[in-house]
Structure formats: C-alpha cells, structure tokens
C-alpha cells in the first residue's frame, strides 16, 4: 500500500504531463498561441528566439520549484517536479503536428487539454509549476489575492506576445485559451485558493499535532452527534488548495474513519498562518 501511495501519484503526474504536452505540441504551439504561467513565458521566448520551448519550460520552472520547496510542502513540490520534468520530455518526444489551421479551435481545445492535465496534477497532489506557485508564495508574505496575482502575471505575458510578435490576434486567442484552462481547473478541482476543513475525529491530539507541524492553525470544537449523542472533537483548519492532497493523505493515515467536510473559503479576515 505504501509503495502504491508513492507510485500511483507519480504515474498520474506523468499522465497529466503527457496530456499537457499534447495540448502544446498539437494545438497551441503550431498556431503560435500561449498557455498560462511559465509555459507561456517559454513559448514567447521560443517564438522570438527560436530556442527549444521544452527546455525553456524546464529551466524556468526549476528555480520556482526550488523556491517553493520549503514553503508549499515537500510532497507537493516533488510531485510538481515530476510533472515539469515529464512535460519537458514529452515536448521532445511528441511531434509538433498542426491538427487545425483554425486558431479559435486550437485555442479552445488546446486550453481544454492543458486544463485537463493541470487538473489531474492538482487533484493528486502536484502541479505543472508556473505562476500559481509564485503567486501562492507571494501571498504567504503579503496579503494579496492569488487569483489577481496570477491574472496580472498572465496578462503581462500575453501583452509581451502581442508587442514582440506584433500579432494581437494571437494574443487575444491566447487569452481565450488561458481562460478556458482556468475555468476547467476551477470546475474539476476547486475555484478557491483557500479552503476550510472541518474534521470530526476520535484521534484529536495526534491529528492536531500533525496539522500544527505543517504548520497550520487548528481550532478544536466540541461536538455531539444528533443520532448517537456521542461526543467527539471537530478540528477546523484553513489551508490552500495546493496542500489539500497532502492533508487528505495525512487524515487517512491518522484516522481512516474521520468525517471531513471541505468548504471553499472566499476570504480570511485575521491571521492566516503562513509557512
């Protein structure tokens, strides 16, 4: 079981990387369109300089992942590294084929493919790297909304494509592709970067100590079941969507019978404990 717990997520990271690479090589790159995040930066540099987009994508993501290693969780970053490396390799293996010469179709289906791959990666504890990690790290030290930071960074990249290539049609189609990728991730995974977990458990102290080691603030609430009248503790903690997979795994290890309610958190007023 422990071996599967490691191999399973790694395998899914590789599959998600293959899907993302297909979106790049078959739809976005042949039409000189952009994806979101550091992949978009790699594409702009590649279009202008002629350098290999796959290795640009890898080179841009490595320092970001190393930066987030201690801040966003080791498991999350390690799985993200697997995804980034696999994506770079698949970009070398998958041939660049122009499936369509219609930029609208390329933007729509390219954005959908990238969104599917990114969603799988996030759902099982990793990511495809990029601006989400940068924005999440910045938000730990400055009380800034991650969503707005990501939009601003992506807008700058799209604007750079328009200016450098003098091709504003490509820039606008790229914005459509990036929007669809984001919407798909939101619908499959979660649209909010902060989430609240309500955990009803019999292993209060062990689970609370594990959460505090992340570190995460924890509130213990006394509860009583309406049907059994049994008194139990409920732990409440606020975290980010990047740590959700890690928390699911932790809770299952400590108390496989725990009842967990995950609620999307629009905003947090007061102290949100940061790493």
């Amino acid at each position: 079981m422990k071996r599967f717990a490691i191999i399973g997520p790694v395998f899914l990271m590789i599959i998600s990387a293959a899907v993302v690479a297909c979106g790049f090589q078959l739809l976005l790159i042949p039409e000189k369109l952009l994806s979101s995040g550091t992949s978009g930066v790699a594409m702009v540099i590649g279009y202008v300089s002629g350098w290999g987009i796959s290795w640009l994508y890898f080179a841009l993501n490595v320092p970001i992942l190393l930066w987030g290693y201690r801040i966003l969780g080791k498991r999350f970053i390690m799985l993200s590294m697997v995804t980034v490396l696999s994506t770079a390799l698949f970009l070398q293996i998958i041939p660049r084929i122009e499936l369509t010469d219609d930029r609208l179709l390329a933007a729509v289906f390219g954005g959908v493919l990238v969104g599917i791959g990114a969603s799988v990666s996030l759902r099982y504890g990793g990511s495809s790297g990029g601006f989400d990690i940068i924005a999440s790290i910045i938000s730990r030290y400055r009380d800034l909304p991650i969503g707005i930071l990501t939009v601003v960074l992506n807008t700058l990249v799209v604007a750079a494509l328009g200016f450098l290539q003098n091709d504003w049609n490509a820039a606008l189609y790229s914005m459509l592709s990036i929007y669809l990728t984001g919407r798909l991730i939101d619908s499959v995974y979660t649209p909010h970067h902060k989430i609240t977990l309500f955990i009803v458990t019999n292993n209060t102290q062990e689970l609370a100590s594990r959460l505090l080691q992340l570190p995460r603030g924890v509130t213990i609430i006394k509860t009583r079941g309406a049907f059994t009248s049994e008194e139990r503790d409920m732990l409440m903690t606020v975290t980010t969507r990047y740590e959700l997979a890690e928390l699911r795994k932790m809770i299952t290890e400590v108390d496989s019978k725990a009842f967990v309610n995950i609620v999307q958190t629009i905003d947090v007023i007061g102290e949100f404990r940061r790493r």
Side-chain angles (χ1 to χ4, degrees):
M1 287 300 292
K2 287 186 177 180
R3 184 177 297 178
F4 178 78
I6 298 172
I7 296 175
V10 169
F11 176 74
L12 289 168
M13 295 305 111
I14 295 171
I15 294 298
S16 71
V19 175
V20 169
C22 284
F24 290 169
Q25 290 289 80
L26 305 181
L27 293 161
L28 297 181
I29 294 176
E31 294 300 318
K32 296 290 191 293
L33 302 179
L34 301 182
S35 182
S36 60
T38 50
S39 57
V41 177
M43 288 173 182
V44 171
I45 297 173
Y47 297 155
V48 174
S49 66
W51 296 348
I53 292 174
S54 61
W55 299 116
L56 284 168
Y57 168 79
F58 179 74
L60 289 170
N61 269 298
V62 167
I64 295 172
L65 292 170
L66 292 175
W67 185 21
Y69 186 72
R70 284 190 166 184
I71 300 172
L72 299 180
K74 295 179 181 179
R75 183 177 186 272
F76 170 73
I77 294 298
M78 292 303 294
L79 289 175
S80 298
M81 285 181 176
V82 171
T83 306
V84 168
L85 178 59
S86 299
T87 302
L89 291 175
F90 279 122
L91 286 173
Q92 291 287 323
I93 296 169
I94 299 171
R96 191 174 300 176
I97 301 172
E98 188 176 6
L99 290 184
T100 177
D101 58 1
D102 187 325
R103 277 185 161 177
L104 178 59
L105 291 176
V108 170
F109 287 98
V112 168
L113 272 181
V114 174
I116 290 171
S119 298
V120 171
S121 182
L122 281 169
R123 178 64 179 81
Y124 292 97
S127 78
S128 54
F131 288 168
D132 274 358
I133 292 179
I134 294 175
S136 184
I137 293 171
I138 292 172
S139 72
R140 299 294 178 96
Y141 301 101
R142 295 287 184 272
D143 192 18
L144 299 172
I146 295 176
I148 292 176
L149 285 172
T150 306
V151 169
V152 169
L153 291 171
N154 280 319
T155 301
L156 291 173
V157 175
V158 171
L161 175 67
F163 280 113
L164 294 174
Q165 295 286 86
N166 195 26
D167 188 351
W168 289 101
N169 282 335
L172 293 173
Y173 281 125
S174 295
M175 289 181 68
L176 173 62
S177 177
I178 291 169
Y179 172 77
L180 290 172
T181 296
R183 289 297 299 168
L184 192 62
I185 292 172
D186 289 349
S187 62
V188 173
Y189 192 56
T190 172
H192 293 289
H193 291 271
K194 289 188 179 72
I195 51 177
T196 300
L197 279 72
F198 296 95
I199 311 161
V200 180
T201 178
N202 287 322
N203 299 353
T204 305
Q205 294 306 317
E206 183 181 356
L207 187 54
S209 64
R210 291 280 296 273
L211 289 169
L212 290 169
Q213 288 172 11
L214 285 176
R216 279 283 165 258
V218 182
T219 300
I220 301 176
I221 305 168
K222 294 293 183 181
T223 63
R224 184 166 62 89
F227 182 72
T228 62
S229 295
E230 180 183 354
E231 290 191 353
R232 299 176 71 183
D233 290 328
M234 180 171 69
L235 307 181
M236 183 188 75
T237 185
V238 180
T239 185
T240 67
R241 71 180 182 181
Y242 304 103
E243 297 164 321
L244 181 55
E246 184 180 356
L247 284 175
R248 280 197 181 106
K249 181 173 177 291
M250 178 196 298
I251 294 166
T252 304
E253 288 175 353
V254 175
D255 184 1
S256 60
K257 295 183 179 180
F259 176 81
V260 185
N261 183 23
I262 302 170
V263 181
Q264 296 172 350
T265 302
I266 296 173
D267 198 5
V268 175
I269 299 172
E271 182 181 0
F272 174 66
R273 189 169 185 179
R274 295 170 170 80
R275 289 187 175 180

